[in-house]
Amino acid sequence: MLAQNDDVMTDAVSTIYDITQDSILKQQIRTREEWIAVERRFIEEKEAAEAKSAQIEEEMARSRLEWDAAERRLTDEKTAAEAKSAELAEAIDAAHVTIDSQQQQIAELQELVQQLQSQS
């Protein structure tokens, strides 16, 4: 009742109310600004994580390509080595046949030499 009758009290109450409303509004603005900052950091961290993920996926794709190329090279080298091994095995077999033939010829020649020596 005093506040209604007294202009000074009315102005004081009005001023306190305005200050309180300003304070509440300022707090709401600060809270909203903090929330916006949190959202901004979240978005930045999310974008950084997505960029890192994309980079890792690119590196994995490159690694897969390199792996596949190395695997093809190894397969080619294995095939070439197997072919060379088969070729060498054939050459060894041919050399054994030649050696056997030459040993037989040597044995025959030694027999002839002995026969000739025994005749003389």
Side-chain angles (χ1 to χ4, degrees), residues 3-69:
Q4 292 173 344
N5 293 336
D6 189 24
D7 287 339
V8 172
M9 271 309 245
T10 303
D11 285 345
V13 169
S14 177
T15 302
I16 290 173
Y17 177 79
D18 289 344
I19 290 172
T20 303
Q21 290 302 312
D22 286 347
S23 179
I24 291 171
L25 182 61
K26 285 178 184 177
Q27 182 58 38
Q28 288 174 339
I29 291 171
R30 273 194 297 272
T31 302
R32 180 67 183 148
E33 287 173 345
E34 288 171 4
W35 177 250
I36 289 171
V38 167
E39 279 184 321
R40 191 174 298 127
R41 278 194 306 274
F42 175 77
I43 289 169
E44 289 170 356
E45 289 174 4
K46 180 183 173 206
E47 289 173 349
E50 288 172 346
K52 183 68 176 176
S53 177
Q55 179 185 4
I56 289 170
E57 286 178 13
E58 287 176 15
E59 289 173 5
M60 286 176 58
R62 252 192 323 274
S63 293
R64 272 190 230 108
L65 289 174
E66 290 172 3
W67 178 270
D68 291 344

Side-chain angles (χ1 to χ4, degrees), residues 65-114:
L65 289 174
E66 290 172 3
W67 178 270
D68 291 344
E71 193 172 36
R72 281 191 301 276
R73 278 194 310 272
L74 287 174
T75 300
D76 292 347
E77 289 174 7
K78 180 182 175 190
T79 302
E82 288 171 347
K84 186 66 172 177
S85 178
E87 181 182 318
L88 289 174
E90 287 178 19
I92 289 171
D93 288 344
H96 282 287
V97 168
T98 302
I99 290 171
D100 290 344
S101 172
Q102 289 175 348
Q103 284 177 342
Q104 186 178 1
Q105 288 175 355
I106 290 171
E108 290 171 1
L109 289 174
Q110 285 176 343
E111 253 183 67
L112 283 173
V113 167
Q114 284 178 358

